[in-house]
């Protein structure tokens, strides 16, 4: 039970949470939700047009600019894992969010100053695509990249903790209506995040196009300042829970203990469970046979390893059976997780579609509204949102008539169809780019990298919609699949795996562009990813992604075949009673369950 001297806090571990209702509650929601919403509008509003800023103002080649953005996205996807670790193990959610918010504000301010002060950029050049302009010096690049890193660090503090922190304020198991209150909070939270992203890639991008970089970067800084002030103003009202045990630490302990006990000889499984270490009342008293070498981590060497309460004296030398099985559950899904890396490359295509749109007629109707090049990603977002909204209400009932399953498609099928649709998306992108390039050459724009092709940019909408649908199937399917395989105590690992996959996908995307640029421009040839879209062959680049995606589908089929062959063997019965479902349900959502849009691409 929580300490009676300080009822506004909670202890770590599995002890019951107890807080007074003087703190927390609905009165904190404007502060918590506004923090995440303004941060999303600010940060996502910077990314779509950034390739234009890097190429036009910093005179980077398209390949270099794309690599910078891939790496920036990779860092932004790695940082939430670090933020979750610091929050769970050391600092607590409030402090991590507060530090992240201030750090993001500093990073955005530094980026804004690159637009304000000409000295922060190389001298202006009218034709940056020709390659004859002065490049940015080391100090200018260090300043620019420093702002990117600070924004990534800030995002790593806010994104893994914000939803969980909001749930902390409303969680009240003594209230019979708490489950409904929590569900309403999750719905409002996800709706605010989706709306924030749509606003960022439309309104903020439009401001950048019409008012220039100083105003276009200044607006996100202002929004981030509001986010910071709002969150800190609510500090006296928050419930601030103490750090709990981190699964990352637990995994490290199992690995260390298994290595330290590597000289032990494992007994036959049928010999009984007396040598295994488990806590009193645990259902997990014997480890499974899979990955047996890890069983040495929970194997008791001598009675001196255990204290009077039945706990290990040194958790780095002796772990529980449950800890071992948690790590095994993670390792088991890693092959299927790896099949999501290539689709992450497809989802993370930010730079090239913006450049394509910038070279096409972007009017919705002739003489009508001109859509900013960086705003076409909203079609992927709209498709994803419609899919999420329609799947449970419309699609599942229809599919269940054919599949004879109440959930319609299985999680594996959803992930697989997502991979297939991603193949179609990149193939469509290749066809459209081939048509755009042919039209540019036919119209005499082969040597004019700034020419606008007489071809509607609405041709780009299908590929964006297909990418949104692929993400809605595969990404959400991934997260739900992880939750189906993990105990509730590992709720945070599902989203952590997804963001890690996105990060690796960003790095792979950068590697692909670098290799293509180096290989295809040898012997005096024009690079496929040339500064001039009309001279290069970005259609070939998309075809390459299509080929990789098709190979990845077959790899995925191999992974699910291997996973399915052992799926029902040694089924683990986790320490989760029927009465724990409602108690832990809030934390499942608080860890970001089913919401890949919470994270940047």
């Amino acid at each position: 039970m929580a300490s009676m001297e300080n009822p506004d806090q909670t202890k770590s571990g599995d002890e019951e949470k107890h807080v007074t209702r003087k703190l927390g509650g609905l009165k904190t929601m404007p502060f918590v939700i506004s923090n995440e919403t303004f941060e999303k509008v600010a940060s996502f509003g910077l990314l779509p047009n950034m390739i234009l800023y890097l190429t036009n103002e910093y005179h980077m080649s398209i390949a270099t600019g794309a690599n910078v953005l891939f790496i920036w996205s990779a860092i932004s996807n790695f940082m939430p894992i670090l933020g979750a670790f610091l929050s769970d193990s050391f600092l607590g959610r409030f402090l991590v969010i507060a530090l992240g918010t201030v750090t993001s504000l500093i990073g955005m301010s530094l980026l804004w100053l690159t637009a304000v002060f000409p000295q922060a950029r190389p001298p202006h050049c009218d034709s940056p695509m020709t390659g004859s302009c002065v490049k940015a010096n080391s100090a200018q690049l260090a300043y620019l990249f420093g702002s990117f890193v600070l924004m990534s660090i800030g995002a790593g503090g806010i994104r893994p903790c914000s939803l969980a922190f909001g749930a902390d304020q409303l969680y009240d198991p003594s209230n019979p209506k708490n489950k409904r209150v929590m569900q309403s909070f999750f719905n409002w939270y996800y709706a605010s995040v989706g709306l924030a992203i749509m606003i960022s890639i439309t309104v903020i991008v439009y401001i950048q196009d019409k008012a220039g970089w100083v105003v276009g970067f200044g607006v996100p800084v202002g929004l981030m300042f509001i986010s910071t002030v709002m969150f800190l103003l609510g500090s006296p009202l928050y419930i601030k829970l103490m750090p709990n045990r981190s699964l990352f630490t637990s995994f490290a302990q199992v690995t260390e203990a298994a290595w330290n006990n590597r000289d032990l000889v494992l007994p036959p499984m049928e010999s009984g469970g007396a040598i295994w270490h488990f806590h009193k009342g645990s259902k997990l008293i014997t480890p499974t046979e899979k990955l047996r070498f890890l069983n040495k981590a929970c194997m008791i060497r001598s009675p001196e390893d255990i204290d009077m309460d039945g706990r290990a004296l040194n958790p780095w030398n002796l772990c529980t059976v449950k800890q071992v099985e948690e790590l095994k559950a993670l390792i088991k899904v890693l092959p299927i997780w790896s099949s999501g890396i290539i689709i992450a490359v497809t989802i993370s295509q930010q730079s090239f579609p913006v450049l394509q749109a910038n070279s096409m007629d972007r009017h919705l109707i002739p003489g009508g509204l001109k859509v900013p090049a960086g705003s076409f990603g909203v079609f992927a977002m709209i498709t994803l949102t419609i899919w999420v909204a329609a799947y449970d209400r419309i699609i599942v009932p229809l599919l269940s008539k054919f599949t004879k399953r109440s959930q319609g498609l299985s999680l594996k099928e959803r992930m697989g169809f997502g991979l297939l649709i991603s193949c179609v998306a990149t193939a469509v992108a290749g066809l459209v780019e081939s048509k755009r390039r042919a039209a540019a050459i036919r119209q005499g724009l082969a040597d004019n990298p700034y020419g606008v092709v007489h071809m509607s940019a609405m041709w780009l909408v299908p590929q964006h919609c297909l990418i949104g649908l692929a993400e809605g199937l595969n990404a959400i399917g991934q997260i739900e699949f992880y939750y189906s395989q993990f105990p509730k105590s590992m709720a945070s690992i599902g989203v952590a795996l997804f963001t890690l996959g996105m990060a690796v996908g960003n790095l792979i995307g950068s590697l692909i562009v670098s290799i293509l640029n180096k290989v295809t421009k040898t012997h005096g040839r024009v690079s496929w990813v040339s500064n001039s879209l009309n001279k290069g062959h970005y259609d070939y680049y998309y075809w390459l992604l299509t080929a990789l995606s098709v190979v990845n589908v077959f790899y995925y089929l191999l992974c699910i075949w291997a996973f399915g062959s052992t799926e029902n063997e040694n089924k683990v019965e986790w320490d989760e009673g029927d009465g724990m479902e409602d108690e832990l349900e809030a934390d499942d959502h608080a860890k970001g369950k089913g919401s890949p849009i919470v994270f940047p691409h």
Side-chain angles (χ1 to χ4, degrees):
M1 300 294 291
S3 171
M4 297 302 293
E5 290 78 17
N6 189 8
D8 296 334
Q9 303 289 325
T10 186
K11 287 186 176 182
S12 59
D14 299 323
E15 296 173 294
E16 180 183 357
K17 295 179 180 179
H18 176 71
V19 294
T20 65
R21 303 322 299 170
K22 294 180 182 179
L23 300 181
L26 292 174
K27 60 182 176 292
T28 63
M29 290 302 99
F31 303 101
V32 175
I33 293 181
S34 65
N35 172 257
E36 176 83 353
T37 302
F38 283 125
E39 189 274 338
K40 281 289 185 295
V41 174
S43 60
F44 275 74
L46 293 173
L47 187 58
N49 270 344
M50 191 56 65
I51 184 65
L52 300 178
Y53 188 65
L54 296 180
T55 54
N56 294 336
E57 303 299 330
Y58 279 81
H59 310 154
M60 294 183 185
S61 68
I62 291 177
T64 301
N67 282 336
V68 168
L69 296 184
F70 270 128
I71 294 172
W72 182 22
S73 295
I75 296 173
S76 296
N77 280 304
F78 274 123
M79 284 301 167
I81 299 174
L82 177 60
F85 173 74
L86 291 175
S87 170
D88 291 348
S89 302
F90 301 105
L91 302 179
R93 289 167 184 158
F94 169 77
L95 188 54
V96 169
I97 295 173
L99 292 174
T101 302
V102 173
T103 304
S104 285
L105 175 60
I106 295 173
M108 290 182 187
S109 299
L110 294 179
L111 178 64
W112 174 58
L113 292 177
T114 65
V116 172
F117 297 109
Q119 297 87 349
R121 310 184 307 275
H124 176 72
C125 180
D126 292 327
S127 302
M129 291 296 184
T130 61
S132 59
C133 302
V134 177
K135 302 295 183 182
N137 59 42
S138 299
Q140 291 167 337
L141 290 177
Y143 185 88
L144 175 69
F145 296 158
S147 70
F148 288 167
V149 171
L150 286 174
M151 284 188 282
S152 294
I153 293 173
I158 297 171
R159 292 170 183 170
C161 302
S162 182
L163 182 55
F165 185 72
D168 291 341
Q169 311 311 309
L170 298 178
Y171 182 63
D172 181 13
S174 64
N175 181 1
K177 297 182 179 180
N178 187 241
K179 184 175 181 179
R180 182 72 185 96
V181 171
M182 296 295 292
Q183 188 62 52
S184 297
F185 165 65
F186 300 139
N187 290 338
W188 279 105
Y189 183 91
Y190 292 139
S192 68
V193 167
L195 180 62
I197 295 175
M198 290 187 189
I199 291 175
S200 67
I201 57 181
T202 52
V203 177
I204 302 299
V205 170
Y206 184 82
I207 292 173
Q208 291 169 358
D209 275 15
K210 294 299 181 181
W213 299 115
V214 175
V215 176
F217 287 169
V219 170
V221 171
L223 293 174
M224 198 65 220
F225 178 76
I226 296 174
S227 172
T228 305
V229 172
M230 287 288 289
F231 185 75
L232 295 179
L233 281 177
S235 178
L237 304 176
Y238 298 144
I239 294 169
K240 302 168 186 175
L241 303 183
M242 298 174 65
N244 205 336
R245 175 183 73 97
S246 171
L247 280 169
F248 297 101
T249 302
S250 176
F251 295 155
Q253 288 173 340
V254 173
T255 305
E256 174 77 8
W259 174 256
N260 291 341
N261 297 334
R262 62 189 181 277
D263 58 320
L264 295 180
V265 178
L266 290 169
M269 295 300 296
E270 61 273 10
S271 64
I275 63 168
W276 308 115
H277 175 46
F278 54 90
H279 289 160
K280 183 179 180 180
S282 174
K283 296 177 183 177
L284 294 171
I285 61 175
T286 304
T288 58
E289 290 193 45
K290 294 174 295 184
L291 302 171
R292 289 197 73 209
F293 63 94
L294 290 176
N295 293 351
K296 296 181 178 182
C298 59
M299 189 174 175
I300 301 174
R301 284 177 174 268
S302 67
E304 287 75 20
D305 294 336
I306 308 296
D307 63 15
M308 296 297 293
D309 295 327
R311 297 184 179 273
L313 291 173
N314 185 354
W316 292 91
N317 282 331
L318 179 62
C319 302
T320 63
V321 174
K322 182 182 179 182
Q323 285 179 277
V324 171
E325 292 304 316
E326 285 173 342
L327 180 57
K328 287 183 180 180
L330 174 62
I331 295 174
K332 183 181 176 183
V333 303
L334 286 181
I336 291 180
W337 165 82
S338 66
S339 70
I341 293 175
I342 294 298
I343 191 175
V345 177
T346 301
I347 294 172
S348 300
Q349 295 298 314
Q350 296 281 352
S351 305
F352 300 149
V354 172
L355 295 170
Q356 288 175 283
N358 201 47
S359 70
M360 302 169 76
D361 181 4
R362 292 179 275 118
H363 291 93
L364 284 176
I365 57 175
L369 177 66
K370 188 176 183 181
V371 181
S375 294
F376 279 82
V378 76
F379 292 104
M381 195 68 225
I382 292 172
T383 304
L384 172 61
T385 303
I386 292 174
W387 169 259
V388 171
Y391 183 74
D392 286 331
R393 296 291 182 180
I394 302 174
I395 299 174
V396 168
L398 292 175
L399 288 175
S400 61
K401 296 179 181 179
F402 298 96
T403 63
K404 307 302 180 183
R405 294 192 298 262
S406 60
Q407 74 273 29
L409 295 174
S410 69
L411 296 177
K412 293 179 182 177
E413 288 169 345
R414 286 168 64 181
M415 290 188 289
F417 280 122
L419 295 179
L420 283 173
I421 293 174
S422 72
C423 298
V424 179
T426 52
V428 169
L431 288 171
V432 171
E433 172 56 19
S434 180
K435 180 178 178 65
R436 188 211 63 81
R437 183 177 182 274
I441 294 174
R442 187 169 58 252
Q443 294 167 23
L445 300 175
D447 297 320
N448 183 4
Y450 302 100
V452 177
V453 182
H454 297 307
M455 176 180 173
S456 174
M458 295 300 113
W459 279 89
L460 300 173
V461 172
Q463 69 194 58
H464 284 290
C465 292
L466 287 168
I467 289 174
L469 181 57
E471 182 176 3
L473 282 162
N474 184 269
I476 297 177
Q478 272 192 66
I479 295 175
E480 292 191 16
F481 174 74
Y482 301 145
Y483 278 98
S484 72
Q485 299 301 312
F486 297 157
K488 290 183 183 295
S489 60
M490 294 176 64
S492 61
I493 299 299
V495 172
L497 279 176
F498 176 76
T499 58
L500 181 62
M502 291 297 299
V504 176
N506 295 142
L507 295 177
I508 296 296
S510 175
L511 182 63
I512 291 173
V513 171
S514 297
I515 293 175
L516 275 182
N517 187 48
K518 183 177 181 179
V519 171
T520 59
K521 69 178 182 181
T522 56
H523 307 298
R525 295 175 296 184
V526 177
S527 169
W528 287 4
V529 288
S530 167
N531 281 349
S532 173
L533 268 67
N534 302 331
K535 284 187 174 182
H537 267 291
Y538 285 80
D539 49 346
Y540 293 175
Y541 167 76
Y542 285 122
W543 288 120
L544 176 62
L545 288 186
T546 302
L548 292 174
S549 298
V550 170
V551 172
N552 188 55
V553 169
F554 288 100
Y555 171 70
Y556 171 75
L557 294 175
L558 178 63
C559 290
I560 62 171
W561 173 80
F563 184 91
S565 65
T566 58
E567 187 173 9
N568 296 318
E569 297 177 14
N570 300 307
K571 187 68 176 179
V572 176
E573 184 179 6
W574 301 105
D575 293 340
E576 295 168 353
D578 295 336
M580 297 179 67
E581 183 174 357
D582 289 345
E583 177 183 349
L584 294 174
E585 182 178 356
D587 197 46
D588 285 347
H589 288 280
K591 298 298 186 180
K593 181 176 180 180
S595 181
I597 61 173
V598 172
F599 299 92
H601 300 327

